[in-house]
Amino acid sequence: MCSNAFYTKIFKEFQVTILPICSCCWPDALLMNSLIPHIKNMLYQMLGPAFLIFFSLSIVPFFTILLAMGNCISLSSSSLMSTVSKKSKALPIETIFNLPSPIPSWPPGGGFATGTIDLGGLQVTEITTFRKIWATYEGGPNNLGAAIFEPSPIPQGYFLLGCYSQPNNQPLFGSILVAKDVTDKDSDAALEKPTDYTLVWSSQSLSIKKDSPAYIWLPNPPNGYKAVGHIVTTSSDKPSLDEIRCVRSDLTDQCEEYGLIWSTSNGLSIYGTRPTNRGVQALGVSIGTFVAQNGGSTATSTTLTCLKNANSNISCMPNLAQIQALVQAYSPWVYFHPDEKYLPSTVRWFFTNGALLYKKGDESNPTPIDPSGSNLPQGGSNDGEYWIDLPRDEAGTERVKTGDLQTSGAYFHVKPMLGGNVY
């Protein structure tokens, strides 16, 4: 048998080595099963052959007593989890993205930056504040999961068009449109309730880290209307038909998936959306909703649409004073190294100082370019028939290459895109 002094020495070692582990990490008996092998190995190194007797007579009863005492342990299971949670790193999405400085006050005029736009009987406004509906904490970019939100609060008279989603690996930065019917009484309503819902996907059978079950629904629009977004619930009950609105078909445009947000092992993929037709003449307007595809089917992405600026006007585009204010607020600063040899200039200076216009098949006879650029080819596409090059003489080439900072300027091309929807 071991002496009292021996046990005293061992229990001192035990208190120093083991009890900190117990007091910090002992939520329940399950953890005991994982700790005992490590403790046995440590005691074997301390006690040698005597450890078997010691472990049987002393350590196991001690652990049994420790578990039975329960409240004598300094941290309960709930407080332990709270402590662990507090120590865990916050997800980027828990931080709301903010511009480095407040948005300036713009010069007045037109419909620029008023907060709303009339798309032709359908008035929309942009919402950047959200209420989280559901989140998962694995999969997607950086295996951090994704979250789904609904805009909140929604201004009186406006209606939800769909929910917003983004990966958890970025600060919450998105926005989504809500809509209000401003049609004439003689016109068909711009917005209508769905007639029913179709369940696109449920997380109930999926073993992932998540807040709760999630159910993604597709609104079934009435004839002459289109669904433009999904609605998401944490219950298997269908949402109320009052929760969301469908949009009259002539106020919608074709959209496409853009940028994977999150996907699962059972075939669900969530993408952002954007208008299929984009450009100066395109009228499609992004909403900020997402599209859910289940099992690789493209049926949902072809069913959902984006909005369209049926007014075909650019009243929300900035005027010259507003463009100048935008440039002053957001154009970048360019810094040159003191030893920089090659500097910018105006296009007019470049033309005046010897830039030449070459034509394919007649390379030996380049043409000097008029300072106004009036003799440059006009219209058409880039067919490779003409190009601009430096002067032919070495001195002229070096002069043009070094530029002229005193005459340099910035050039801005402002044009309407995505239906001219500047809110």
Side-chain angles (χ1 to χ4, degrees), residues 219-277:
N220 297 341
N223 290 335
Y225 291 80
K226 297 281 189 179
V228 295
H230 292 290
I231 189 168
V232 180
T233 64
T234 56
S235 166
S236 59
D237 297 333
K238 288 185 178 181
S240 166
L241 297 179
D242 288 321
E243 289 288 330
I244 198 170
R245 291 294 186 268
C246 301
V247 181
R248 202 174 66 211
S249 297
D250 63 307
L251 295 170
T252 66
D253 205 356
Q254 184 178 353
C255 74
E256 64 184 19
E257 61 194 42
Y258 176 67
L260 179 66
I261 296 172
W262 186 67
S263 61
T264 69
S265 58
N266 68 349
L268 175 74
S269 296
I270 293 179
Y271 297 90
T273 60
R274 67 178 182 183
T276 302
N277 302 309

Side-chain angles (χ1 to χ4, degrees), residues 275-394:
T276 302
N277 302 309
R278 300 177 300 279
V280 177
Q281 303 300 322
L283 300 176
V285 176
S286 291
I287 304 172
T289 52
F290 67 87
V291 58
Q293 294 183 7
N294 197 3
S297 171
T298 60
T300 307
S301 61
T302 56
T303 301
L304 288 181
T305 61
C306 63
L307 298 179
K308 182 170 68 175
N309 188 352
N311 268 342
S312 304
N313 66 64
I314 56 173
S315 61
C316 288
M317 290 295 294
N319 58 33
L320 183 58
Q322 292 162 346
I323 291 171
Q324 291 172 339
L326 285 165
V327 170
Q328 290 295 323
Y330 296 119
S331 58
W333 287 87
V334 180
Y335 296 88
F336 295 101
H337 190 278
D339 299 330
E340 178 62 61
K341 290 176 56 178
Y342 304 108
L343 299 169
S345 71
T346 61
V347 173
R348 187 179 186 88
W349 183 92
F350 176 56
F351 289 167
T352 301
N353 282 269
L356 298 173
L357 176 65
Y358 285 79
K359 186 179 187 308
K360 188 175 182 179
D362 194 18
E363 292 85 348
S364 60
N365 296 303
T367 304
I369 302 175
D370 185 89
S372 65
S374 58
N375 62 330
L376 292 173
Q378 305 292 317
S381 59
N382 184 8
D383 54 11
E385 290 293 316
Y386 295 90
W387 63 93
I388 297 174
D389 208 339
L390 300 172
R392 304 180 77 176
D393 62 291
E394 185 174 348

Side-chain angles (χ1 to χ4, degrees), residues 85-157:
S85 176
K86 289 178 182 177
K87 291 182 178 178
S88 62
K89 187 177 180 181
L91 291 171
I93 199 169
E94 295 172 20
T95 301
I96 298 175
F97 171 80
N98 287 305
L99 292 169
S101 59
I103 296 177
S105 296
W106 308 115
F112 173 71
T114 61
T116 62
I117 179 174
D118 186 347
L119 301 178
L122 183 67
Q123 184 171 290
V124 294
T125 190
E126 185 180 41
I127 305 296
T128 58
T129 54
F130 299 94
R131 182 182 72 85
K132 186 172 77 170
I133 301 173
W134 180 79
T136 176
Y137 303 100
E138 60 182 275
N142 303 123
N143 197 33
L144 293 179
I148 298 175
F149 303 84
E150 66 178 20
S152 178
I154 296 177
Q156 186 175 5

